Amino acid sequence: MEERTRSCLLKNRSALEQDIKTSYIMDHLISEEVLNLEDEQNVKVQATQKERAALLIDLILQKDNYAVISFYNALLNEGYKELAGLLQDGLPIISTSIKSSIDGLTPYVQTVLCEGGVPQRPVVFVDRPELLQTIRSELFNLEMEPGWITLCGMAGCGKSVLAAEALRNHRVISECFPGGVHWVAVGKQDRAGILVKLQNLCSRFNQGSQAYLNPPLNIEEARDRLRFFMTRKYPRSLLVLDDVWDNWVLKCFDVQCRVLITSRDRSISEAVSGNKFLILVQSGLSNDKGLEILARFVNLKVSCLPDEAHSIVQECKGSPLVVSLIGALLREFPNRWAYYLKQLQGKQFKRIRKSSSYDYEALDEAMAISIEVLEQDHREYYKDLSILKKDVKVPTKVLCILWEMDVEEVEDILQVFVNKSLLFCDRNKRSFRYYLHDLQLDFLTEQNHDQLMDLHVKMVHQYQKTYKNGFPSPDEDCIYWYSFLADHMAKANLKKELYSLMFSMDWIKAKTEVMGPAQLINDFVEHRHVLDEENSTVRENFQEFLSLKGHLLVQKPFPDIVQLGLCQPDSSEVYRQAKLKAVEKAQYGAVYLEWINKTTLQNSSSLVVQLHCDAVFHACFSHDGLKIASCGADKTLQIFKSETGEKLLEINAHDDEVLCCAFSPDDKFVVTCSSDTKVKIWNSITGQLIHTYHEHEEQVNCCQFTHSQRNVMLVTCSNDTLVKTWDLKGSNCKNTLFGHTEPVNHCTFSPDDQYVASCSNDGTVKLWDTRSGNEWKSIDVNEQCRISDDDEEVLLKCCLWSSDGTQILAAAKNTLFIYDASTGDMITELAISRYSNIQSCDISPTRPLLAVALSHNSVELWDIELHKRVADCSGHLSWVHCVQFSPEGSKLLSSSDDQTVRLWEINKVHSSSAVSLLQCMDVIFQQGDMFVLVSDNKKCLQLINGNTGNVMYQSNVQDSRICCCCLNQHINLAAFGCGDGILKGGMKSAKFVLQNIGWKRQQLQKSLLIAIGLEKGIVKVLELPSGKTISTLTGHTNAVQRCQFTHHERTLISSSDDATTRVWNWHTGACKVLEGHTERVKNFKLLRGSQLLSWSFDGTMKVWNFATGELVKNFDCHDGAVLSCDVSPDGSKVVSASADKSAKIWSLRDSMPPIVLAGHNACVRSCRFTWDNEYLATGDDNGEIRIWRVRDGSLLHICPNDVEIKDSKHGGWVTDLRFSPNSKILVSTGGYIKWWDVNTGESLQTFYTNGTNLKSIHVSSDFKTFVTIDNIGILYILKMIN
């Protein structure tokens, strides 16, 4: 501090101590960073006013020249002009001609702004650099010539603070406004008030001059005098008009000078001429900035703020005003965090009182004044906006319906609101969209709370008046109605209208087609209490339908929702409405199918969610159970509601596959890890990236948080053989855990967080001390146990702790090892599955239940104490990668390669005794009856009544897997073949059958016989219902893949992987072997007479006389395996389909060269002639079907013809094709079943099976009944609705 300045301060110290009040003076000094909060506290604790002033002056004396200048400016701003005058002669002299090298605040700028009446910084100030840079850039536009800059924004957005802060810049003041800055606080004024403002401004300009002795008497005189001052005395100065409400006010200051305006009305400058620039202040404070303000007010670090601080900032909606008001109040009452949060949440704006620097007594007054200036009719229109939803942009068309006006009229009204910062407009779309700031909407809601119901009623009635005969078109302008119509009805208490809407299949179809199912499920949940008053069962019907079929309702093209509804239980309201619509549409030729045996199926999953477009590797519950996070091969992180599947957040998280994700203990954050070697932490609400850890050198396989919210840590493991722990407060790894020698696949904290368990491809489970990072124990699973006898290494896939932390479980291949955690001794091992590997496992938090995810598409539940499987969860269509119990243990989630996350109700899953059918069956349609013979996963055979779906008979367990089975055409013979290469058969009275199944005697005159082919190459003929083996036929050396009775009941034909076909007399066991193929026989077909056509993986077809065993004709067909053949109904031609991507038409009557059907881009797996011999269809592994003309091989249609379908067009390979008798309809199987119009190639219907990969379909002769089995063992008996 200069000596002269110090002397002046000491000389006048007594006068200063006597008169000044320190509180507001210190606010200014703190904002200028002359004093800190500790200095302020020291001053405050002094006993008397004089002592406080004395200490304040002592502190200033310890500072530099800038402290004295700041003190001087504070005295001026707080009305101590006489005391400031005492210091004026002693102020340090700083030349205004020297250009500062810094662009920021300098003593020269401080003096200029202080003399011009520019407000000081708020006591607590945070920078908003982007907005400030925008304002300063516009200020430089006024450097060379006059103009108007309008800084526009809603109440409380910080316009005045931003304007003042933009001027605290040496370069702006010295280069643009060397004549000074003159601040006028305008506010809501009449003409008399504006005259006073002008008089005061002229008086300020006239100080030290005798040019004008009297103030101006009217506005015109004042404007002329102002023009003189601004032109002659203060050229190139800036006039700041703060808080201007009316455009006529600007005319009073229109003197061809440089003007900066702050206003809520963006059109405020339209009344004046000249250069104009508009700056919109729309963005509020970020959460971090809001927390920083609160922290400064209460003198705490952000990390030390209470939990309520985060909620308060969120409730403040980014408004600098509201955050500052709350901060100022908390500064005086530091224990009222919960109280002020409650006031904000309850919209009690009147209780949020003013701070020292704001013009309105309470927040509600500041917002109300903006509305009061509107014309009366505009105020009524603005009141209608009270029922809008937060963060929702409303299209103009919606308000046109509400107000019954044309678009232009509505836009004119809304533009008035936009101009006055009462509404915001998004012009990025084709049509304008309007929205309110959250604070404005909160204020409107509170102000009009007693009229809200009527306003909702008005909205609903206007909608009904406009859309009398249907629903809005599915364009972007009408999405609002689909989103919020039900909400308006509920809030209007229009219960009947809500029931009619929500319990309507038409509404379900319309809304899901536009928006998908998740929001509809959310509607049923949100309005459950209202809907259940009408009928809770119906509400449950619709909600269950959407939860289980919703993943299909996001597909393109949109599925037929009526057909989906027909798959619901007959007691469901969804089924009832779907059946009525199906019957009505079927009268006009539409195709709909009734699932006859659906009552035998129990649904155990409660929700199916498909948000990913590729495999889902991991999913997890939040700790409150309300949300689920999932991640996968599409590189994204998805967060959605666990009850409805409604998407909350989607993040493009990594540059490669995301392998794992987990919620933090407080659910505020989600961690992800990826093949890109990075670990990232995200805000689970906003999706903001909080931190990236990049210390692993290879893909990171797993990431998990500690369980406790105290001292939260993170553990990760990688293919680089390392396990790392992270303290979230730091940016680097806390501990690196060395010890594994191969990739580490999984890691997890113990229930008390004291230890970390990890498992690796090196065959070990290691337990680590969390705090020190030291290895506590190593369990060598590789050394103790071998899964097989071939010395194969034990690769551990996952590990987990028991609920009490006393046991460690580790999974490798199909085996689960259980160890004592304290000793490392193995307790037991469980062989979970024979045919698939364990991908993941989890233990229930409430009972001894273990969930295991398996590679063969299913989830199994095991009682960990009894070491017994207790339930199966079937439904996934591909590998299951992850399972996790909900926090309360009542639900289980699983994620899969099929792109879905499924939720299961633990008390509804199938018991482990549930039988699953295999895709090995035969079907006979006879005189209105239908019989289905099928094998199951228990190595048994079932005979099912196709009309009822009931099991008529189940055989004993066979000694090897059943590969094929057949009934004879007269329902008195059946055969089956097994993997042991043997065929069996028999005969008995039907009396027992008739007595026990209640059939009419004339329908069964003979016993039931079947044949089966077994995996061991054995063929057996059995008699039903006794199950007695009549004949066992041995000869095949490999699995029997097909068997069939001929019309001669004693003859049975079988084909095998041993490349032979055998013709049996099953009574005597005599056999003719049809040898000639060099690879396994794919299938065979009986021709006319005693001829048989067989085809093989060796690329050939062969025609045999099966009576004599002679080869009649050989066709060297293809360069690849022959996968399918069909013979034309007239017996003249045969078509072959091959893995070489072609099909060929051959003549059976002459040696004409084949017609080659080229064009497929994948293996041609199926083919079929029409019944009139005119056309044939071929299907390939891309899901494409082609329809050809037989006589010349010309292509007629490609099904489907939608070029926009990028994935498989049939949900998988096209495995079977069947034509209707009139050759007009084609049915095909693949990932699901489809019906096609042969003449146009268009799809007529799609039946989505629960599973996928259908192998074949059996069709009745009248083309009304269809039978197939999916890959998860569900039988579908479908009848076409007439």
Side-chain angles (χ1 to χ4, degrees):
M1 184 182 296
E2 293 181 8
E3 186 176 350
R4 182 175 61 85
T5 304
R6 179 182 294 276
S7 298
C8 181
L9 190 57
L10 291 170
K11 176 183 175 181
N12 297 288
R13 176 172 184 155
S14 179
L16 292 168
E17 291 177 357
Q18 189 69 33
D19 292 339
I20 66 171
K21 294 182 179 180
T22 58
S23 58
Y24 291 158
I25 297 291
M26 285 195 297
D27 284 348
H28 291 284
L29 296 177
I30 290 172
S31 70
E32 298 289 350
E33 299 182 353
V34 172
L35 299 182
N36 57 37
L37 294 174
E38 184 178 354
D39 294 332
E40 179 191 37
Q41 191 63 31
N42 291 334
V43 172
K44 278 186 173 182
V45 297
Q46 301 303 309
T48 66
Q49 176 182 315
K50 186 172 182 179
E51 290 174 349
R52 290 191 288 273
L55 181 55
L56 176 61
I57 293 171
D58 285 340
L59 291 171
I60 293 172
L61 285 168
Q62 299 171 20
K63 309 290 183 179
D64 54 14
N65 288 334
Y66 300 112
V68 180
I69 292 175
S70 181
F71 182 52
Y72 169 77
N73 291 334
L75 292 173
L76 286 177
N77 276 285
E78 292 301 325
Y80 297 107
K81 293 185 179 180
E82 293 180 0
L83 293 178
L86 298 175
L87 302 179
Q88 190 165 9
D89 292 339
L91 291 177
I93 299 174
I94 301 175
S95 172
T96 61
S97 63
I98 300 175
K99 300 280 186 176
S100 174
S101 62
I102 43 177
D103 288 339
L105 186 62
T106 63
Y108 160 62
V109 172
Q110 283 183 308
T111 302
V112 169
L113 299 184
C114 184
E115 291 176 346
V118 177
Q120 292 285 312
R121 278 178 178 159
V123 177
V124 172
F125 171 78
V126 292
D127 199 11
R128 300 165 79 179
E130 293 183 1
L131 270 172
L132 288 174
Q133 183 58 43
T134 300
I135 298 169
R136 286 169 182 159
S137 298
E138 297 295 354
L139 287 171
F140 274 101
N141 290 326
L142 302 184
E143 179 179 0
M144 304 306 297
E145 55 184 340
W148 308 79
I149 297 176
T150 303
L151 188 60
C152 176
M154 62 173 283
C157 70
K159 301 182 295 294
S160 301
V161 173
L162 286 167
E165 189 62 27
L167 297 172
R168 292 188 180 94
N169 183 282
H170 186 93
R171 184 164 169 253
V172 169
I173 299 299
S174 61
E175 295 184 14
C176 299
F177 313 114
V181 176
H182 312 286
W183 188 285
V184 180
V186 180
K188 190 86 175 75
Q189 301 288 346
D190 56 13
R191 290 188 175 273
I194 292 300
L195 178 58
V196 173
K197 297 287 183 182
L198 285 165
Q199 289 171 339
N200 291 339
L201 183 59
C202 290
S203 175
R204 187 192 306 174
F205 287 159
N206 198 41
Q207 285 181 357
S209 171
Q210 300 298 316
Y212 297 98
L213 299 178
N214 297 315
L217 299 178
N218 55 56
I219 289 177
E220 288 73 18
E221 182 183 348
R223 185 170 54 200
D224 290 339
R225 192 176 296 184
L226 180 61
R227 182 180 293 109
F228 169 79
F229 284 127
M230 298 294 286
T231 305
R232 302 292 181 86
K233 193 172 180 180
Y234 298 99
R236 295 186 64 200
S237 60
L238 177 68
L239 179 61
V240 183
L241 303 178
D242 184 34
D243 197 22
V244 180
W245 285 79
D246 301 295
N247 53 19
W248 62 265
V249 172
L250 297 189
K251 293 182 179 180
C252 301
F253 292 89
D254 188 4
V255 293
Q256 294 297 304
C257 63
R258 295 161 174 81
V259 184
L260 172 62
I261 309 159
T262 71
S263 176
R264 305 182 191 187
D265 190 343
R266 69 169 67 189
S267 64
I268 199 74
S269 63
E270 291 179 357
V272 294
S273 58
N275 297 320
K276 299 174 187 176
F277 308 94
L278 177 65
I279 304 169
L280 299 178
V281 183
Q282 290 187 340
S283 60
L285 297 173
S286 66
N287 279 0
D288 291 341
K289 292 286 186 183
L291 290 171
E292 184 182 345
I293 289 178
L294 290 181
R296 290 190 181 185
F297 266 112
V298 298
N299 195 23
L300 291 173
K301 294 181 179 179
V302 171
S303 59
C304 297
L305 291 173
D307 291 340
E308 292 89 347
H310 297 269
S311 300
I312 284 175
V313 170
Q314 291 177 1
E315 290 295 330
C316 289
K317 320 299 184 187
S319 168
L321 167 64
V322 185
V323 176
S324 298
L325 287 176
I326 297 296
L329 291 167
L330 288 167
R331 190 175 184 179
E332 298 296 327
F333 305 101
N335 296 322
R336 292 189 177 180
W337 291 92
Y339 172 76
Y340 290 123
L341 174 59
K342 183 179 179 181
Q343 303 311 313
L344 282 170
Q345 291 172 334
K347 316 296 185 289
Q348 298 298 316
F349 299 120
K350 288 183 172 63
R351 300 188 183 184
I352 303 172
R353 310 303 297 177
K354 68 174 285 185
S355 67
S356 61
S357 59
Y358 199 59
D359 296 336
Y360 302 98
E361 285 297 325
L363 183 58
D364 66 323
E365 181 183 340
M367 303 176 78
I369 195 69
S370 299
I371 301 173
E372 290 173 2
V373 300
L374 296 172
E375 297 176 4
Q376 178 60 38
D377 57 340
H378 284 177
R379 286 204 293 271
E380 290 299 315
Y381 290 132
Y382 195 67
K383 181 170 67 176
D384 287 340
L385 304 183
S386 303
I387 59 174
L388 299 185
K389 300 281 284 187
K390 288 184 179 180
D391 302 319
V392 173
K393 298 178 180 179
V394 181
T396 310
K397 188 173 180 179
V398 173
L399 298 173
C400 291
I401 292 171
L402 178 61
W403 294 333
E404 293 189 83
M405 293 182 182
D406 294 334
V407 172
E408 293 75 14
E409 294 178 275
V410 170
E411 288 180 347
D412 289 343
I413 293 171
L414 297 176
Q415 191 59 42
V416 173
F417 303 152
V418 171
N419 289 341
K420 297 187 180 301
S421 298
L422 291 169
L423 192 67
F424 296 97
C425 180
D426 180 0
R427 302 172 186 267
N428 294 327
K429 304 283 185 177
R430 294 179 182 176
S431 61
F432 295 166
R433 281 168 161 66
Y434 298 90
Y435 61 99
L436 291 162
H437 189 278
D438 285 358
L439 280 175
Q440 292 168 324
L441 188 55
D442 287 344
F443 173 73
L444 274 177
T445 303
E446 174 64 21
Q447 188 181 51
N448 303 308
H449 68 275
D450 57 341
Q451 303 177 58
L452 291 179
M453 183 181 293
D454 293 337
L455 294 176
H456 284 290
V457 169
K458 176 182 176 182
M459 179 72 91
V460 174
H461 286 170
Q462 289 300 109
Y463 166 85
Q464 292 173 331
K465 186 176 180 180
T466 304
Y467 299 106
K468 297 177 182 178
N469 301 317
F471 300 113
S473 58
D475 58 58
E476 54 186 277
D477 285 341
C478 294
I479 287 181
Y480 178 88
W481 296 114
Y482 289 108
S483 300
F484 304 113
L485 179 58
D487 187 67
H488 286 305
M489 288 179 172
K491 291 178 178 175
N493 201 30
L494 298 174
K495 295 181 180 180
K496 290 185 178 180
E497 288 84 349
L498 183 63
Y499 303 152
S500 177
L501 182 78
M502 296 295 291
F503 296 160
S504 162
M505 283 293 285
D506 292 331
W507 174 249
I508 300 299
K509 177 183 183 300
K511 181 163 181 173
T512 51
E513 193 165 4
V514 175
M515 308 190 69
Q519 196 176 76
L520 248 176
I521 300 173
N522 194 64
D523 287 345
F524 280 105
V525 172
E526 185 175 346
H527 306 305
R528 177 188 303 167
H529 63 288
V530 180
L531 297 173
D532 285 357
E533 292 178 11
E534 173 69 11
N535 194 319
S536 61
T537 302
V538 172
R539 193 265 307 161
E540 290 170 356
N541 292 161
F542 278 95
Q543 188 172 332
E544 181 182 72
F545 169 64
L546 291 167
S547 297
L548 297 179
K549 299 296 183 182
H551 64 292
L552 299 175
L553 297 175
V554 297
Q555 297 190 5
K556 300 297 179 185
F558 189 76
D560 190 324
I561 200 166
V562 173
Q563 181 58 65
L564 294 179
L566 288 171
C567 297
Q568 295 304 105
D570 290 356
S571 60
S572 168
E573 175 66 14
V574 175
Y575 170 80
R576 189 191 69 81
Q577 291 188 28
K579 183 65 177 289
L580 291 174
K581 291 181 179 296
V583 170
E584 179 183 355
K585 292 182 178 182
Q587 295 176 2
Y588 301 96
V591 174
Y592 285 101
L593 291 307
E594 184 96 65
W595 187 0
I596 299 302
N597 64 317
K598 63 188 174 186
T599 55
T600 61
L601 179 69
Q602 295 179 352
N603 259 319
S604 52
S605 50
S606 62
L607 181 66
V608 184
V609 181
Q610 184 172 356
L611 297 178
H612 292 273
C613 58
D614 208 332
V616 188
F617 293 139
H618 194 82
C620 61
F621 283 101
S622 60
H623 291 80
D624 61 10
L626 300 179
K627 292 182 287 189
I628 292 173
S630 62
C631 58
D634 61 4
K635 309 175 188 178
T636 68
L637 170 69
Q638 306 280 352
I639 299 178
F640 55 92
K641 293 182 180 179
S642 61
E643 186 171 15
T644 67
E646 181 182 5
K647 184 193 294 187
L648 300 174
L649 196 63
E650 178 177 356
I651 303 172
N652 294 315
H654 288 269
D655 300 324
D656 207 335
E657 296 177 337
V658 188
L659 302 178
C660 187
C661 58
F663 280 97
S664 62
D666 59 5
D667 292 332
K668 292 180 180 178
F669 305 103
V670 175
V671 62
T672 57
C673 62
S674 166
S675 296
D676 66 7
T677 74
K678 297 175 184 176
V679 178
K680 296 184 179 183
I681 297 178
W682 310 86
N683 184 305
S684 65
I685 303 298
T686 65
Q688 177 186 2
L689 177 62
I690 305 300
H691 202 86
T692 299
Y693 299 114
H694 197 184
E695 294 190 22
H696 283 292
E697 296 180 356
E698 296 186 39
Q699 78 173 31
V700 187
N701 295 314
C702 183
C703 52
Q704 295 292 331
F705 281 107
T706 48
H707 301 90
S708 171
Q709 295 188 25
R710 298 180 60 187
N711 302 320
V712 177
M713 292 182 65
L714 173 69
V715 63
T716 60
C717 62
S718 166
N719 279 4
D720 61 11
T721 75
L722 301 178
V723 180
K724 291 178 179 285
T725 60
W726 313 79
D727 186 338
L728 300 191
K729 296 177 182 178
S731 57
N732 296 318
C733 167
K734 180 179 180 181
N735 286 313
T736 299
L737 314 182
F738 298 91
H740 287 294
T741 58
E742 296 290 339
V744 187
N745 297 317
H746 195 253
C747 55
T748 181
F749 285 99
S750 61
D752 59 6
D753 296 328
Q754 292 188 20
Y755 301 101
V756 170
S758 61
C759 63
S760 165
N761 285 353
D762 62 13
T764 66
V765 176
K766 292 185 180 292
L767 308 183
W768 316 82
D769 184 277
T770 301
R771 181 174 299 178
S772 67
N774 295 328
E775 182 179 314
W776 173 50
K777 198 176 299 305
S778 181
I779 302 172
D780 193 340
V781 182
N782 193 45
E783 180 67 25
Q784 296 182 18
C785 306
R786 296 285 182 180
I787 295 179
S788 60
D789 297 330
D790 56 3
D791 290 334
E792 184 179 347
E793 295 294 321
V794 178
L795 308 179
L796 299 178
K797 183 69 176 179
C798 62
C799 59
L800 70 157
W801 299 82
S802 60
S803 301
D804 58 5
T806 61
Q807 296 179 353
I808 288 289
L809 290 77
K813 283 200 170 181
N814 66 339
T815 305
L816 189 72
F817 303 96
I818 304 177
Y819 293 89
D820 185 296
S822 60
T823 65
D825 296 334
M826 187 169 72
I827 299 173
T828 188
E829 64 178 276
L830 300 177
I832 298 296
S833 174
R834 178 181 175 186
Y835 298 106
S836 63
N837 294 332
I838 299 172
Q839 301 299 305
S840 171
C841 48
D842 191 34
I843 289 182
S844 169
T846 57
R847 45 184 162 171
L849 200 61
L850 175 74
V852 182
L854 298 169
S855 59
H856 73 215
N857 314 350
S858 72
V859 174
E860 293 181 358
L861 297 181
W862 286 69
D863 187 308
I864 201 69
E865 293 179 348
L866 301 177
H867 302 162
K868 177 183 178 182
R869 187 178 67 175
V870 294
D872 298 306
C873 304
S874 298
H876 281 296
L877 308 182
S878 189
W879 281 34
V880 184
H881 288 288
C882 171
V883 285
Q884 188 184 82
F885 284 98
S886 60
E888 80 289 349
S890 65
K891 293 183 179 180
L892 178 74
L893 68 73
S894 57
S895 66
S896 167
D897 268 352
D898 65 10
Q899 307 177 12
T900 68
V901 175
R902 286 179 179 259
L903 266 73
W904 314 83
E905 298 281 353
I906 297 301
N907 58 354
K908 294 182 180 178
V909 294
H910 301 157
S911 68
S912 60
S913 61
V915 175
S916 174
L917 302 181
L918 301 180
Q919 292 177 294
C920 160
M921 69 170 177
D922 191 22
V923 181
I924 297 297
F925 303 95
Q926 189 179 77
Q927 298 177 357
D929 291 322
M930 182 193 336
F931 305 92
V932 181
L933 183 68
V934 60
S935 63
D936 62 34
N937 59 341
K938 304 293 185 180
K939 300 180 185 177
C940 297
L941 206 63
Q942 297 184 24
L943 183 64
I944 297 171
N945 182 343
N947 291 324
T948 64
N950 295 327
V951 177
M952 299 163 51
Y953 166 78
Q954 181 169 319
S955 73
N956 296 326
V957 177
Q958 301 299 311
D959 53 3
S960 70
R961 184 170 61 91
I962 300 173
C963 298
C964 62
C965 59
C966 68
L967 287 156
N968 91 319
Q969 294 296 318
H970 305 288
I971 315 301
N972 65 334
L973 291 174
F976 65 95
C978 303
D980 56 8
I982 302 177
L983 196 66
K984 304 183 179 180
M987 187 171 287
K988 190 179 179 181
S989 168
K991 182 178 180 182
F992 180 84
V993 176
L994 298 176
Q995 289 176 342
N996 285 278
I997 63 176
W999 288 357
K1000 295 180 180 178
R1001 182 173 296 272
Q1002 61 266 27
Q1003 289 181 312
L1004 283 177
Q1005 299 299 325
K1006 299 181 181 180
S1007 300
L1008 301 178
L1009 296 169
I1010 61 173
I1012 59 173
L1014 303 180
E1015 192 174 32
K1016 293 182 179 179
I1018 299 172
V1019 181
K1020 295 183 179 181
V1021 180
L1022 304 180
E1023 181 266 345
L1024 299 184
S1026 69
K1028 179 181 178 181
T1029 300
I1030 302 301
S1031 180
T1032 299
L1033 309 174
T1034 59
H1036 285 298
T1037 59
N1038 211 327
V1040 180
Q1041 298 295 352
R1042 174 80 194 284
C1043 57
Q1044 181 180 343
F1045 288 104
T1046 67
H1047 295 293
H1048 188 284
E1049 293 182 0
R1050 295 179 179 271
T1051 304
L1052 179 67
I1053 302 176
S1054 62
S1055 63
S1056 168
D1057 287 346
D1058 64 6
T1060 68
T1061 302
R1062 291 177 177 261
V1063 183
W1064 309 86
N1065 182 320
W1066 61 267
H1067 272 265
T1068 64
C1071 171
K1072 293 185 179 67
V1073 181
L1074 309 182
E1075 294 183 286
H1077 289 295
T1078 57
E1079 294 186 39
R1080 58 192 176 107
V1081 179
K1082 181 68 171 66
N1083 209 336
F1084 63 86
K1085 188 178 184 69
L1086 296 177
L1087 304 180
R1088 294 179 179 178
S1090 297
Q1091 290 192 339
L1092 173 148
L1093 173 72
S1094 65
W1095 56 95
S1096 165
F1097 283 84
D1098 62 9
T1100 68
M1101 295 187 303
K1102 299 181 185 294
V1103 179
W1104 310 84
N1105 184 320
F1106 66 81
T1108 63
E1110 295 178 354
L1111 176 63
V1112 177
K1113 197 168 188 177
N1114 181 69
F1115 296 90
D1116 290 321
C1117 303
H1118 296 274
D1119 295 330
V1122 180
L1123 301 177
S1124 178
C1125 290
D1126 189 39
V1127 179
S1128 61
D1130 62 6
S1132 64
K1133 295 180 176 63
V1134 61
V1135 59
S1136 61
S1138 171
D1140 66 6
K1141 304 179 183 180
S1142 72
K1144 296 179 181 180
I1145 304 174
W1146 307 82
S1147 172
L1148 289 175
R1149 295 176 180 173
D1150 53 42
S1151 301
M1152 294 288 292
I1155 299 174
V1156 179
L1157 308 178
H1160 284 286
N1161 296 313
C1163 296
V1164 186
R1165 192 165 296 273
S1166 55
C1167 54
R1168 188 73 61 179
F1169 283 99
T1170 57
W1171 291 97
D1172 60 7
N1173 305 292
E1174 293 292 322
Y1175 309 106
L1176 69 84
T1178 54
D1180 67 23
D1181 285 0
N1182 282 340
E1184 183 178 273
I1185 297 171
R1186 293 179 175 238
I1187 300 177
W1188 315 82
R1189 193 186 308 276
V1190 172
R1191 69 170 180 266
D1192 57 9
S1194 58
L1195 178 65
L1196 298 180
H1197 301 296
I1198 299 178
C1199 310
N1201 52 19
D1202 190 347
V1203 296
E1204 296 181 359
I1205 299 178
K1206 297 179 181 179
D1207 298 328
S1208 177
K1209 301 169 185 176
H1210 210 302
W1213 303 343
V1214 180
T1215 55
D1216 201 1
L1217 299 162
R1218 300 293 176 110
F1219 283 97
S1220 61
N1222 60 9
S1223 301
K1224 292 183 178 180
I1225 299 178
L1226 170 70
V1227 63
S1228 59
T1229 57
Y1232 31 76
I1233 313 170
K1234 291 188 72 71
W1235 286 259
W1236 308 89
D1237 186 313
V1238 175
N1239 293 327
T1240 64
E1242 295 179 353
S1243 173
L1244 297 175
Q1245 188 54 267
T1246 302
F1247 186 94
Y1248 291 94
T1249 51
N1250 290 14
T1252 185
N1253 297 341
L1254 308 175
K1255 284 189 174 182
S1256 63
I1257 190 165
H1258 294 258
V1259 182
S1260 63
S1261 59
D1262 60 0
F1263 207 71
K1264 296 295 183 182
T1265 306
F1266 310 85
V1267 183
T1268 188
I1269 299 176
D1270 65 23
N1271 67 331
I1272 59 176
I1274 298 175
L1275 174 67
Y1276 300 88
I1277 301 174
L1278 309 178
K1279 286 197 174 182
M1280 193 175 291
I1281 294 177
N1282 294 320

